[in-house]
Amino acid sequence: ASSRVFVHDDIYDKFVAASAAKAKEWKAGPQFEESSLHGAQVDKIQFDKVMGYIEKGKSEGAKCVAGGERHGSTGFFVQPTVFSEVTDEMTIAKEEIFGPVSSIIRFTDVKDAIRRANNSKYGLAAGICTRDIGTAVKMAGELQAGTIWINCYNNFDMAAPFGGFKSSGIGRELGEYGLANYTETKTVYIPMDGKY
């Protein structure tokens, strides 16, 4: 759920336009329909939560450039939604939405983007898109997130641990680290001098 998308000022308007166009093409529908790219929210509670974030984004001044409404009249479908002109103080820039909502946030330099991305109580994952691998590696080291994707997104490997930083979780799933959740550690001391 990549809710926050930081985009450099040089390409911001072009990126917003492309994101809005893509969201408008994206087909929401039942999971077993071949043409569906995006299913319903898991239940009414999550549906209401996502719709509440969308309303909050609108009321706090973000510009809804795509979606922003329920999809259809039955089920818990939400239109893929894109917001532009999102500021750091807005609720949609501070919360993990876990729904089809993208908040596109403008930045001008990498240090500022890192600082602002880290200024969150969450840190599940982050993606970096750049042609400069040195910048990507530096950012990956400084971003406070449990998983970092560089020039890709949402890729997983069962052997690699997955889990978040801060309020996005404690511990890891998958990989060798994931086995720790199923172990119980015991410490036993024995005096080496033979005296009991």
PDB file of all heavy atoms in Angstrom, residues 85-118:
ATOM      1  N   GLU A  85      -0.965  17.871  -4.823  1.00  0.00           N
ATOM      2  CA  GLU A  85      -0.864  19.036  -3.926  1.00  0.00           C
ATOM      3  C   GLU A  85      -1.071  18.626  -2.467  1.00  0.00           C
ATOM      4  O   GLU A  85      -1.700  19.335  -1.684  1.00  0.00           O
ATOM      5  CB  GLU A  85      -1.837  20.145  -4.339  1.00  0.00           C
ATOM      6  CG  GLU A  85      -1.683  20.591  -5.790  1.00  0.00           C
ATOM      7  CD  GLU A  85      -0.258  20.942  -6.205  1.00  0.00           C
ATOM      8  OE1 GLU A  85       0.511  21.479  -5.375  1.00  0.00           O
ATOM      9  OE2 GLU A  85       0.099  20.666  -7.365  1.00  0.00           O
ATOM     10  N   VAL A  86      -0.505  17.482  -2.120  1.00  0.00           N
ATOM     11  CA  VAL A  86      -0.587  16.961  -0.749  1.00  0.00           C
ATOM     12  C   VAL A  86       0.571  17.543   0.055  1.00  0.00           C
ATOM     13  O   VAL A  86       1.707  17.565  -0.407  1.00  0.00           O
ATOM     14  CB  VAL A  86      -0.535  15.420  -0.751  1.00  0.00           C
ATOM     15  CG1 VAL A  86      -0.559  14.869   0.672  1.00  0.00           C
ATOM     16  CG2 VAL A  86      -1.681  14.845  -1.572  1.00  0.00           C
ATOM     17  N   THR A  87       0.273  18.021   1.253  1.00  0.00           N
ATOM     18  CA  THR A  87       1.319  18.542   2.136  1.00  0.00           C
ATOM     19  C   THR A  87       1.523  17.576   3.306  1.00  0.00           C
ATOM     20  O   THR A  87       0.660  16.757   3.611  1.00  0.00           O
ATOM     21  CB  THR A  87       0.947  19.940   2.667  1.00  0.00           C
ATOM     22  OG1 THR A  87      -0.253  19.833   3.445  1.00  0.00           O
ATOM     23  CG2 THR A  87       0.739  20.929   1.522  1.00  0.00           C
ATOM     24  N   ASP A  88       2.670  17.706   3.949  1.00  0.00           N
ATOM     25  CA  ASP A  88       3.050  16.788   5.031  1.00  0.00           C
ATOM     26  C   ASP A  88       2.085  16.788   6.206  1.00  0.00           C
ATOM     27  O   ASP A  88       1.990  15.802   6.926  1.00  0.00           O
ATOM     28  CB  ASP A  88       4.449  17.141   5.551  1.00  0.00           C
ATOM     29  CG  ASP A  88       5.521  16.955   4.497  1.00  0.00           C
ATOM     30  OD1 ASP A  88       5.301  16.195   3.534  1.00  0.00           O
ATOM     31  OD2 ASP A  88       6.601  17.566   4.639  1.00  0.00           O
ATOM     32  N   GLU A  89       1.358  17.887   6.397  1.00  0.00           N
ATOM     33  CA  GLU A  89       0.469  17.999   7.551  1.00  0.00           C
ATOM     34  C   GLU A  89      -0.864  17.285   7.329  1.00  0.00           C
ATOM     35  O   GLU A  89      -1.612  17.062   8.275  1.00  0.00           O
ATOM     36  CB  GLU A  89       0.188  19.472   7.880  1.00  0.00           C
ATOM     37  CG  GLU A  89       1.414  20.297   8.202  1.00  0.00           C
ATOM     38  CD  GLU A  89       2.223  20.677   6.967  1.00  0.00           C
ATOM     39  OE1 GLU A  89       1.640  20.837   5.877  1.00  0.00           O
ATOM     40  OE2 GLU A  89       3.451  20.783   7.093  1.00  0.00           O
ATOM     41  N   MET A  90      -1.178  16.957   6.097  1.00  0.00           N
ATOM     42  CA  MET A  90      -2.469  16.342   5.793  1.00  0.00           C
ATOM     43  C   MET A  90      -2.524  14.903   6.303  1.00  0.00           C
ATOM     44  O   MET A  90      -1.530  14.188   6.289  1.00  0.00           O
ATOM     45  CB  MET A  90      -2.728  16.368   4.285  1.00  0.00           C
ATOM     46  CG  MET A  90      -2.937  17.753   3.741  1.00  0.00           C
ATOM     47  SD  MET A  90      -3.190  17.706   1.956  1.00  0.00           S
ATOM     48  CE  MET A  90      -3.385  19.445   1.613  1.00  0.00           C
ATOM     49  N   THR A  91      -3.691  14.501   6.740  1.00  0.00           N
ATOM     50  CA  THR A  91      -3.890  13.147   7.273  1.00  0.00           C
ATOM     51  C   THR A  91      -3.466  12.084   6.269  1.00  0.00           C
ATOM     52  O   THR A  91      -2.827  11.103   6.632  1.00  0.00           O
ATOM     53  CB  THR A  91      -5.374  12.950   7.668  1.00  0.00           C
ATOM     54  OG1 THR A  91      -5.727  13.963   8.621  1.00  0.00           O
ATOM     55  CG2 THR A  91      -5.614  11.584   8.259  1.00  0.00           C
ATOM     56  N   ILE A  92      -3.799  12.279   4.983  1.00  0.00           N
ATOM     57  CA  ILE A  92      -3.462  11.268   3.970  1.00  0.00           C
ATOM     58  C   ILE A  92      -1.960  11.159   3.731  1.00  0.00           C
ATOM     59  O   ILE A  92      -1.501  10.185   3.131  1.00  0.00           O
ATOM     60  CB  ILE A  92      -4.212  11.493   2.636  1.00  0.00           C
ATOM     61  CG1 ILE A  92      -3.890  12.862   2.037  1.00  0.00           C
ATOM     62  CG2 ILE A  92      -5.697  11.283   2.827  1.00  0.00           C
ATOM     63  CD1 ILE A  92      -4.451  13.088   0.634  1.00  0.00           C
ATOM     64  N   ALA A  93      -1.187  12.128   4.227  1.00  0.00           N
ATOM     65  CA  ALA A  93       0.269  12.062   4.124  1.00  0.00           C
ATOM     66  C   ALA A  93       0.891  11.455   5.379  1.00  0.00           C
ATOM     67  O   ALA A  93       2.081  11.156   5.397  1.00  0.00           O
ATOM     68  CB  ALA A  93       0.854  13.458   3.899  1.00  0.00           C
ATOM     69  N   LYS A  94       0.086  11.258   6.407  1.00  0.00           N
ATOM     70  CA  LYS A  94       0.623  10.765   7.681  1.00  0.00           C
ATOM     71  C   LYS A  94       0.187   9.355   8.045  1.00  0.00           C
ATOM     72  O   LYS A  94       0.793   8.734   8.896  1.00  0.00           O
ATOM     73  CB  LYS A  94       0.210  11.717   8.819  1.00  0.00           C
ATOM     74  CG  LYS A  94       0.805  13.105   8.691  1.00  0.00           C
ATOM     75  CD  LYS A  94       0.619  13.939   9.936  1.00  0.00           C
ATOM     76  CE  LYS A  94      -0.804  14.348  10.165  1.00  0.00           C
ATOM     77  NZ  LYS A  94      -0.971  15.304  11.253  1.00  0.00           N
ATOM     78  N   GLU A  95      -0.867   8.857   7.434  1.00  0.00           N
ATOM     79  CA  GLU A  95      -1.428   7.562   7.834  1.00  0.00           C
ATOM     80  C   GLU A  95      -1.174   6.480   6.785  1.00  0.00           C
ATOM     81  O   GLU A  95      -1.022   6.776   5.603  1.00  0.00           O
ATOM     82  CB  GLU A  95      -2.932   7.701   8.057  1.00  0.00           C
ATOM     83  CG  GLU A  95      -3.306   8.631   9.184  1.00  0.00           C
ATOM     84  CD  GLU A  95      -2.911   8.120  10.543  1.00  0.00           C
ATOM     85  OE1 GLU A  95      -2.974   6.891  10.771  1.00  0.00           O
ATOM     86  OE2 GLU A  95      -2.531   8.941  11.391  1.00  0.00           O
ATOM     87  N   GLU A  96      -1.144   5.226   7.228  1.00  0.00           N
ATOM     88  CA  GLU A  96      -1.107   4.085   6.315  1.00  0.00           C
ATOM     89  C   GLU A  96      -2.546   3.791   5.916  1.00  0.00           C
ATOM     90  O   GLU A  96      -3.348   3.351   6.736  1.00  0.00           O
ATOM     91  CB  GLU A  96      -0.492   2.864   7.009  1.00  0.00           C
ATOM     92  CG  GLU A  96       1.000   2.989   7.227  1.00  0.00           C
ATOM     93  CD  GLU A  96       1.612   1.732   7.839  1.00  0.00           C
ATOM     94  OE1 GLU A  96       0.957   1.079   8.671  1.00  0.00           O
ATOM     95  OE2 GLU A  96       2.748   1.413   7.488  1.00  0.00           O
ATOM     96  N   ILE A  97      -2.892   4.018   4.670  1.00  0.00           N
ATOM     97  CA  ILE A  97      -4.280   3.935   4.236  1.00  0.00           C
ATOM     98  C   ILE A  97      -4.700   2.504   3.915  1.00  0.00           C
ATOM     99  O   ILE A  97      -5.819   2.102   4.181  1.00  0.00           O
ATOM    100  CB  ILE A  97      -4.530   4.888   3.045  1.00  0.00           C
ATOM    101  CG1 ILE A  97      -4.284   6.332   3.496  1.00  0.00           C
ATOM    102  CG2 ILE A  97      -5.940   4.716   2.492  1.00  0.00           C
ATOM    103  CD1 ILE A  97      -4.352   7.365   2.406  1.00  0.00           C
ATOM    104  N   PHE A  98      -3.838   1.703   3.334  1.00  0.00           N
ATOM    105  CA  PHE A  98      -4.147   0.325   2.928  1.00  0.00           C
ATOM    106  C   PHE A  98      -5.408   0.259   2.075  1.00  0.00           C
ATOM    107  O   PHE A  98      -6.328  -0.496   2.340  1.00  0.00           O
ATOM    108  CB  PHE A  98      -4.223  -0.619   4.134  1.00  0.00           C
ATOM    109  CG  PHE A  98      -2.883  -0.836   4.770  1.00  0.00           C
ATOM    110  CD1 PHE A  98      -2.588  -0.269   5.995  1.00  0.00           C
ATOM    111  CD2 PHE A  98      -1.915  -1.590   4.136  1.00  0.00           C
ATOM    112  CE1 PHE A  98      -1.343  -0.446   6.579  1.00  0.00           C
ATOM    113  CE2 PHE A  98      -0.668  -1.774   4.712  1.00  0.00           C
ATOM    114  CZ  PHE A  98      -0.379  -1.201   5.937  1.00  0.00           C
ATOM    115  N   GLY A  99      -5.420   1.082   1.051  1.00  0.00           N
ATOM    116  CA  GLY A  99      -6.493   1.111   0.072  1.00  0.00           C
ATOM    117  C   GLY A  99      -5.958   1.752  -1.189  1.00  0.00           C
ATOM    118  O   GLY A  99      -4.820   2.215  -1.223  1.00  0.00           O
ATOM    119  N   PRO A 100      -6.766   1.823  -2.237  1.00  0.00           N
ATOM    120  CA  PRO A 100      -6.285   2.336  -3.525  1.00  0.00           C
ATOM    121  C   PRO A 100      -6.221   3.865  -3.565  1.00  0.00           C
ATOM    122  O   PRO A 100      -6.923   4.528  -4.328  1.00  0.00           O
ATOM    123  CB  PRO A 100      -7.323   1.788  -4.505  1.00  0.00           C
ATOM    124  CG  PRO A 100      -8.583   1.756  -3.710  1.00  0.00           C
ATOM    125  CD  PRO A 100      -8.152   1.358  -2.323  1.00  0.00           C
ATOM    126  N   VAL A 101      -5.368   4.429  -2.728  1.00  0.00           N
ATOM    127  CA  VAL A 101      -5.243   5.878  -2.616  1.00  0.00           C
ATOM    128  C   VAL A 101      -3.768   6.246  -2.691  1.00  0.00           C
ATOM    129  O   VAL A 101      -2.953   5.724  -1.939  1.00  0.00           O
ATOM    130  CB  VAL A 101      -5.838   6.393  -1.286  1.00  0.00           C
ATOM    131  CG1 VAL A 101      -5.685   7.906  -1.175  1.00  0.00           C
ATOM    132  CG2 VAL A 101      -7.296   5.979  -1.153  1.00  0.00           C
ATOM    133  N   SER A 102      -3.442   7.139  -3.590  1.00  0.00           N
ATOM    134  CA  SER A 102      -2.073   7.605  -3.768  1.00  0.00           C
ATOM    135  C   SER A 102      -2.015   9.100  -3.488  1.00  0.00           C
ATOM    136  O   SER A 102      -2.755   9.871  -4.088  1.00  0.00           O
ATOM    137  CB  SER A 102      -1.619   7.308  -5.196  1.00  0.00           C
ATOM    138  OG  SER A 102      -0.302   7.732  -5.402  1.00  0.00           O
ATOM    139  N   SER A 103      -1.137   9.494  -2.579  1.00  0.00           N
ATOM    140  CA  SER A 103      -0.943  10.905  -2.240  1.00  0.00           C
ATOM    141  C   SER A 103       0.400  11.329  -2.816  1.00  0.00           C
ATOM    142  O   SER A 103       1.449  10.893  -2.345  1.00  0.00           O
ATOM    143  CB  SER A 103      -0.925  11.088  -0.723  1.00  0.00           C
ATOM    144  OG  SER A 103      -2.133  10.627  -0.167  1.00  0.00           O
ATOM    145  N   ILE A 104       0.378  12.165  -3.840  1.00  0.00           N
ATOM    146  CA  ILE A 104       1.612  12.562  -4.529  1.00  0.00           C
ATOM    147  C   ILE A 104       2.111  13.862  -3.923  1.00  0.00           C
ATOM    148  O   ILE A 104       1.430  14.885  -3.944  1.00  0.00           O
ATOM    149  CB  ILE A 104       1.386  12.680  -6.046  1.00  0.00           C
ATOM    150  CG1 ILE A 104       0.806  11.360  -6.581  1.00  0.00           C
ATOM    151  CG2 ILE A 104       2.698  13.010  -6.740  1.00  0.00           C
ATOM    152  CD1 ILE A 104       0.460  11.377  -8.052  1.00  0.00           C
ATOM    153  N   ILE A 105       3.330  13.784  -3.376  1.00  0.00           N
ATOM    154  CA  ILE A 105       3.914  14.875  -2.596  1.00  0.00           C
ATOM    155  C   ILE A 105       5.148  15.402  -3.325  1.00  0.00           C
ATOM    156  O   ILE A 105       6.030  14.640  -3.715  1.00  0.00           O
ATOM    157  CB  ILE A 105       4.287  14.368  -1.186  1.00  0.00           C
ATOM    158  CG1 ILE A 105       3.046  13.768  -0.499  1.00  0.00           C
ATOM    159  CG2 ILE A 105       4.904  15.480  -0.361  1.00  0.00           C
ATOM    160  CD1 ILE A 105       3.359  12.975   0.761  1.00  0.00           C
ATOM    161  N   ARG A 106       5.222  16.700  -3.474  1.00  0.00           N
ATOM    162  CA  ARG A 106       6.314  17.359  -4.198  1.00  0.00           C
ATOM    163  C   ARG A 106       7.554  17.490  -3.297  1.00  0.00           C
ATOM    164  O   ARG A 106       7.439  17.779  -2.121  1.00  0.00           O
ATOM    165  CB  ARG A 106       5.830  18.748  -4.609  1.00  0.00           C
ATOM    166  CG  ARG A 106       6.724  19.522  -5.530  1.00  0.00           C
ATOM    167  CD  ARG A 106       6.167  20.931  -5.774  1.00  0.00           C
ATOM    168  NE  ARG A 106       4.789  20.951  -6.224  1.00  0.00           N
ATOM    169  CZ  ARG A 106       4.411  21.036  -7.491  1.00  0.00           C
ATOM    170  NH1 ARG A 106       5.309  21.101  -8.452  1.00  0.00           N
ATOM    171  NH2 ARG A 106       3.129  21.067  -7.798  1.00  0.00           N
ATOM    172  N   PHE A 107       8.759  17.256  -3.895  1.00  0.00           N
ATOM    173  CA  PHE A 107      10.005  17.548  -3.175  1.00  0.00           C
ATOM    174  C   PHE A 107      10.996  18.187  -4.137  1.00  0.00           C
ATOM    175  O   PHE A 107      10.873  18.063  -5.352  1.00  0.00           O
ATOM    176  CB  PHE A 107      10.590  16.300  -2.494  1.00  0.00           C
ATOM    177  CG  PHE A 107      11.327  15.357  -3.405  1.00  0.00           C
ATOM    178  CD1 PHE A 107      12.690  15.487  -3.612  1.00  0.00           C
ATOM    179  CD2 PHE A 107      10.663  14.314  -4.033  1.00  0.00           C
ATOM    180  CE1 PHE A 107      13.374  14.610  -4.444  1.00  0.00           C
ATOM    181  CE2 PHE A 107      11.332  13.427  -4.860  1.00  0.00           C
ATOM    182  CZ  PHE A 107      12.693  13.574  -5.067  1.00  0.00           C
ATOM    183  N   THR A 108      11.996  18.892  -3.557  1.00  0.00           N
ATOM    184  CA  THR A 108      12.986  19.572  -4.390  1.00  0.00           C
ATOM    185  C   THR A 108      14.391  19.026  -4.248  1.00  0.00           C
ATOM    186  O   THR A 108      15.184  19.169  -5.160  1.00  0.00           O
ATOM    187  CB  THR A 108      13.002  21.090  -4.108  1.00  0.00           C
ATOM    188  OG1 THR A 108      13.193  21.294  -2.703  1.00  0.00           O
ATOM    189  CG2 THR A 108      11.706  21.749  -4.547  1.00  0.00           C
ATOM    190  N   ASP A 109      14.730  18.440  -3.110  1.00  0.00           N
ATOM    191  CA  ASP A 109      16.053  17.816  -3.001  1.00  0.00           C
ATOM    192  C   ASP A 109      15.963  16.526  -2.192  1.00  0.00           C
ATOM    193  O   ASP A 109      15.060  16.339  -1.387  1.00  0.00           O
ATOM    194  CB  ASP A 109      17.112  18.774  -2.435  1.00  0.00           C
ATOM    195  CG  ASP A 109      16.930  19.097  -0.966  1.00  0.00           C
ATOM    196  OD1 ASP A 109      17.029  18.177  -0.135  1.00  0.00           O
ATOM    197  OD2 ASP A 109      16.702  20.272  -0.640  1.00  0.00           O
ATOM    198  N   VAL A 110      16.911  15.636  -2.440  1.00  0.00           N
ATOM    199  CA  VAL A 110      16.888  14.283  -1.872  1.00  0.00           C
ATOM    200  C   VAL A 110      16.923  14.303  -0.342  1.00  0.00           C
ATOM    201  O   VAL A 110      16.187  13.560   0.303  1.00  0.00           O
ATOM    202  CB  VAL A 110      18.031  13.431  -2.459  1.00  0.00           C
ATOM    203  CG1 VAL A 110      18.156  12.101  -1.739  1.00  0.00           C
ATOM    204  CG2 VAL A 110      17.806  13.210  -3.950  1.00  0.00           C
ATOM    205  N   LYS A 111      17.774  15.155   0.236  1.00  0.00           N
ATOM    206  CA  LYS A 111      17.851  15.216   1.706  1.00  0.00           C
ATOM    207  C   LYS A 111      16.487  15.557   2.311  1.00  0.00           C
ATOM    208  O   LYS A 111      16.074  14.983   3.307  1.00  0.00           O
ATOM    209  CB  LYS A 111      18.876  16.268   2.147  1.00  0.00           C
ATOM    210  CG  LYS A 111      20.283  15.782   2.212  1.00  0.00           C
ATOM    211  CD  LYS A 111      21.130  16.867   2.870  1.00  0.00           C
ATOM    212  CE  LYS A 111      22.543  16.535   2.912  1.00  0.00           C
ATOM    213  NZ  LYS A 111      23.227  15.983   3.881  1.00  0.00           N
ATOM    214  N   ASP A 112      15.805  16.514   1.695  1.00  0.00           N
ATOM    215  CA  ASP A 112      14.489  16.908   2.174  1.00  0.00           C
ATOM    216  C   ASP A 112      13.485  15.762   2.011  1.00  0.00           C
ATOM    217  O   ASP A 112      12.677  15.514   2.906  1.00  0.00           O
ATOM    218  CB  ASP A 112      14.013  18.149   1.409  1.00  0.00           C
ATOM    219  CG  ASP A 112      12.697  18.679   1.936  1.00  0.00           C
ATOM    220  OD1 ASP A 112      12.573  18.852   3.168  1.00  0.00           O
ATOM    221  OD2 ASP A 112      11.785  18.904   1.123  1.00  0.00           O
ATOM    222  N   ALA A 113      13.555  15.046   0.909  1.00  0.00           N
ATOM    223  CA  ALA A 113      12.643  13.915   0.686  1.00  0.00           C
ATOM    224  C   ALA A 113      12.856  12.839   1.746  1.00  0.00           C
ATOM    225  O   ALA A 113      11.895  12.289   2.287  1.00  0.00           O
ATOM    226  CB  ALA A 113      12.846  13.339  -0.711  1.00  0.00           C
ATOM    227  N   ILE A 114      14.104  12.537   2.057  1.00  0.00           N
ATOM    228  CA  ILE A 114      14.417  11.523   3.080  1.00  0.00           C
ATOM    229  C   ILE A 114      13.892  11.971   4.444  1.00  0.00           C
ATOM    230  O   ILE A 114      13.240  11.207   5.151  1.00  0.00           O
ATOM    231  CB  ILE A 114      15.931  11.243   3.132  1.00  0.00           C
ATOM    232  CG1 ILE A 114      16.383  10.561   1.848  1.00  0.00           C
ATOM    233  CG2 ILE A 114      16.287  10.400   4.359  1.00  0.00           C
ATOM    234  CD1 ILE A 114      17.885  10.500   1.685  1.00  0.00           C
ATOM    235  N   ARG A 115      14.181  13.221   4.797  1.00  0.00           N
ATOM    236  CA  ARG A 115      13.726  13.741   6.096  1.00  0.00           C
ATOM    237  C   ARG A 115      12.209  13.655   6.209  1.00  0.00           C
ATOM    238  O   ARG A 115      11.664  13.196   7.207  1.00  0.00           O
ATOM    239  CB  ARG A 115      14.192  15.193   6.275  1.00  0.00           C
ATOM    240  CG  ARG A 115      13.780  15.825   7.603  1.00  0.00           C
ATOM    241  CD  ARG A 115      14.065  17.320   7.643  1.00  0.00           C
ATOM    242  NE  ARG A 115      13.353  18.072   6.615  1.00  0.00           N
ATOM    243  CZ  ARG A 115      12.040  18.364   6.658  1.00  0.00           C
ATOM    244  NH1 ARG A 115      11.294  17.955   7.658  1.00  0.00           N
ATOM    245  NH2 ARG A 115      11.482  19.070   5.690  1.00  0.00           N
ATOM    246  N   ARG A 116      11.523  14.056   5.160  1.00  0.00           N
ATOM    247  CA  ARG A 116      10.057  14.071   5.184  1.00  0.00           C
ATOM    248  C   ARG A 116       9.489  12.655   5.153  1.00  0.00           C
ATOM    249  O   ARG A 116       8.493  12.372   5.812  1.00  0.00           O
ATOM    250  CB  ARG A 116       9.538  14.909   4.033  1.00  0.00           C
ATOM    251  CG  ARG A 116       9.856  16.388   4.245  1.00  0.00           C
ATOM    252  CD  ARG A 116       9.663  17.225   3.004  1.00  0.00           C
ATOM    253  NE  ARG A 116       8.287  17.210   2.565  1.00  0.00           N
ATOM    254  CZ  ARG A 116       7.921  17.454   1.317  1.00  0.00           C
ATOM    255  NH1 ARG A 116       8.814  17.712   0.374  1.00  0.00           N
ATOM    256  NH2 ARG A 116       6.641  17.439   0.997  1.00  0.00           N
ATOM    257  N   ALA A 117      10.096  11.764   4.402  1.00  0.00           N
ATOM    258  CA  ALA A 117       9.628  10.373   4.371  1.00  0.00           C
ATOM    259  C   ALA A 117       9.792   9.734   5.748  1.00  0.00           C
ATOM    260  O   ALA A 117       8.925   8.968   6.196  1.00  0.00           O
ATOM    261  CB  ALA A 117      10.397   9.589   3.316  1.00  0.00           C
ATOM    262  N   ASN A 118      10.881  10.042   6.426  1.00  0.00           N
ATOM    263  CA  ASN A 118      11.134   9.479   7.755  1.00  0.00           C
ATOM    264  C   ASN A 118      10.312  10.141   8.852  1.00  0.00           C
ATOM    265  O   ASN A 118      10.204   9.604   9.955  1.00  0.00           O
ATOM    266  CB  ASN A 118      12.623   9.576   8.104  1.00  0.00           C
ATOM    267  CG  ASN A 118      13.460   8.608   7.320  1.00  0.00           C
ATOM    268  OD1 ASN A 118      12.977   7.609   6.800  1.00  0.00           O
ATOM    269  ND2 ASN A 118      14.750   8.902   7.224  1.00  0.00           N
TER     270      ASN A 118
END
